[in-house]
Amino acid sequence: MVGIRKLGELTVGAQGLGCMGMSHGYGVRDNDAESVATIHRALDLGVTMLDTADVYGPETNERLVGRAVADRRDQVVLATKFGIVWGPDGSMGARGDAAYVKQSCDDSLRRLGVDHIDLYYQHRVDPNVPVEETWGALSELVAAGKVRYLGISEAAATTIRRAHAVHPVSALQSEWSLWTRGIEADVVPTCRELGIGIVPFSPLGRGFLTGSITSAAELPADDLRRNLPRFADGNFDRNLAIVAALRALADEKGCTAGQLALSWVQHRGEDVVPIPGTKRRAYLEQNAAAADIALTPDDLARIEAAAPAAAVAGDRYPEHLGRAAGK
C-alpha cells in the first residue's frame, strides 16, 4: 500500500497515476476496460491522485477517467490541466487568457462528470498573457467552488513566484527523473521555500529507464517517443548503457531497474509525489511497490553515479515541442 504525502495543503497518496497513456501519446488506445481496471486497482493500493489533461486524446482521457471514478469520487484526487494549444505546424503553444481559463474549466468538469476539480494545473504558461491574469481567473474558479487547489506545470522559478503571489500554488508538475534533472537548481528550491509540492511526470524517463524498450523500432508507429531525441539513433544506444548500470544495482536490491529509478524519485523528499503512467495493472503494481523500497544515502549516491545527468544523450524534446516548456 502506498503512503500519503502533502502537496501544499492537499493530502494525496505518496504516488499518483499518470493517465495520459491510456488515451494519448504512447500508441493505440487499445483497451479501455483494462485502463479502468488499472485506475480501480490504483485506488485500492492507495494511489489516490489521478492525473489527466484536456489535451490528452484530446479530451478522451478526461472522459475515460471520469467514467472510471464515477462511483468512487470520494476516494479520488482528480488533477487535470488546461493551457496547451497546437499550432498549424504542429508546434506546441499555450493559452492563458481569463476567458479561456474559465471555459476550459467548465469543459473539463463536463467531460469528467464532476462538480469540482481537486487540483487544476496551468499546463503551460502563455508567453503573451501575464501569469497574473491567468491566476486571477484561476483564483475566481476556487472562489466559485469549481476548483479546490491550483498547480502549474513546466514553469520557471520566477513565474512560480508571480503565480503564487496571486493565489497559493499547491503543486508544481515538471519532468524529473534520473535523466531529467533541470529543475533541481532553481525550481525545486523555490517550491520548497514557498511550501509548494512537486509532482514529477515521466519519472521513468518515458519508460526508457525500465529497460523494457530495447529499440525505438519496437515502439508503435504513432508513439510520440519516436520523435524524441533521446530515443533517436545514436542517442538510444548510449542511453541504454545507463539502464544497464541501473539494472546491476537493482539486482543487488532485489528489484527492477525501473523500480530503482522510481524509488530514487520518491526519495527526493516528502513533498515529492511522482506520477508514473501506465494503462496496465501489472505495471501499476510494480510502480506502487517502488514506494516501499528503502534506499540509504550510499544507495542514492551509487544510483546517481550509475546514471549521471551529464551522461544522458539527447534533448528532452525536439524544437517544435520544446518551445513552450519551462517559461
Side-chain angles (χ1 to χ4, degrees):
M1 298 290 288
V2 173
I4 61 171
R5 292 187 175 179
K6 299 275 280 190
L7 300 173
E9 297 300 315
L10 176 62
T11 300
V12 298
Q15 189 179 113
L17 174 61
C19 297
M20 181 188 80
M22 297 174 179
S23 312
H24 178 89
Y26 295 155
V28 176
R29 177 182 174 183
D30 57 355
N31 193 337
D32 281 359
E34 176 62 17
S35 294
V36 169
T38 299
I39 289 172
H40 291 168
R41 181 61 176 149
L43 299 177
D44 293 340
L45 292 170
V47 177
T48 61
M49 184 168 65
L50 305 179
D51 186 87
T52 182
D54 59 2
V55 76
Y56 299 160
E59 302 182 359
T60 54
N61 194 241
E62 286 185 322
R63 294 190 182 99
L64 172 66
V65 171
R67 291 198 306 273
V69 304
D71 60 349
R72 302 181 70 169
R73 178 66 180 96
D74 60 344
Q75 301 175 39
V76 180
V77 175
L78 273 180
T80 192
K81 302 181 281 292
F82 75 93
I84 286 181
V85 294
W86 297 102
D89 61 350
S91 62
M92 182 190 292
R95 186 172 170 187
D97 57 279
Y100 180 78
V101 172
K102 294 175 181 178
Q103 185 61 55
S104 295
C105 180
D106 286 343
D107 290 343
S108 286
L109 287 168
R110 174 176 47 79
R111 287 189 291 266
L112 289 163
V114 298
D115 63 2
H116 70 277
I117 295 163
D118 297 304
L119 178 58
Y120 199 37
Y121 289 101
Q122 182 177 9
H123 207 166
R124 293 294 187 274
V125 176
D126 186 341
N128 300 312
V129 174
V131 74
E132 290 81 3
E133 176 182 337
T134 306
W135 277 69
L138 286 168
S139 68
E140 292 178 18
L141 294 175
V142 175
K146 295 182 177 182
V147 174
R148 293 178 62 214
Y149 297 94
L150 300 178
I152 197 166
S153 180
E154 293 282 87
T158 53
T159 303
I160 294 168
R161 289 185 184 279
R162 289 170 58 193
H164 192 74
V166 176
H167 188 280
V169 179
S170 292
L172 175 280
Q173 184 176 140
S174 282
E175 188 170 358
W176 196 9
S177 70
L178 277 169
W179 77 348
T180 301
R181 316 236 347 229
I183 67 171
E184 293 179 354
D186 297 320
V187 171
V188 170
T190 297
C191 288
R192 289 181 169 157
E193 175 192 336
L194 299 175
I196 299 168
I198 303 164
V199 179
F201 72 81
S202 297
L204 291 167
R206 300 187 182 275
F208 196 100
L209 298 176
T210 66
S212 62
I213 305 168
T214 58
S215 167
E218 70 192 42
L219 296 170
D222 57 347
D223 194 303
L224 66 82
R225 291 171 291 189
R226 282 179 169 266
N227 297 314
L228 299 181
R230 292 178 181 176
F231 289 78
D233 289 345
N235 292 337
F236 193 98
D237 289 341
R238 289 172 59 189
N239 291 329
L240 275 182
I242 296 172
V243 178
L246 286 175
R247 185 178 289 114
L249 294 178
D251 288 344
E252 295 179 21
K253 299 291 289 186
C255 63
T256 68
Q259 286 175 318
L260 191 70
L262 183 51
S263 181
W264 179 89
V265 179
Q266 294 274 182
H267 278 75
R268 295 302 85 203
E270 289 299 312
D271 55 353
V272 175
V273 180
I275 50 168
T278 183
K279 52 186 175 182
R280 301 282 185 266
R281 280 170 285 181
Y283 294 139
L284 166 79
E285 290 169 358
Q286 288 181 24
N287 292 341
D292 298 323
I293 296 172
L295 298 179
T296 66
D298 181 61
D299 290 331
L300 294 168
R302 293 179 68 201
I303 292 167
E304 292 175 24
V312 178
D315 295 331
R316 289 175 61 203
Y317 294 113
E319 184 180 358
H320 74 285
L321 293 181
R323 293 174 193 151
K327 300 299 183 184

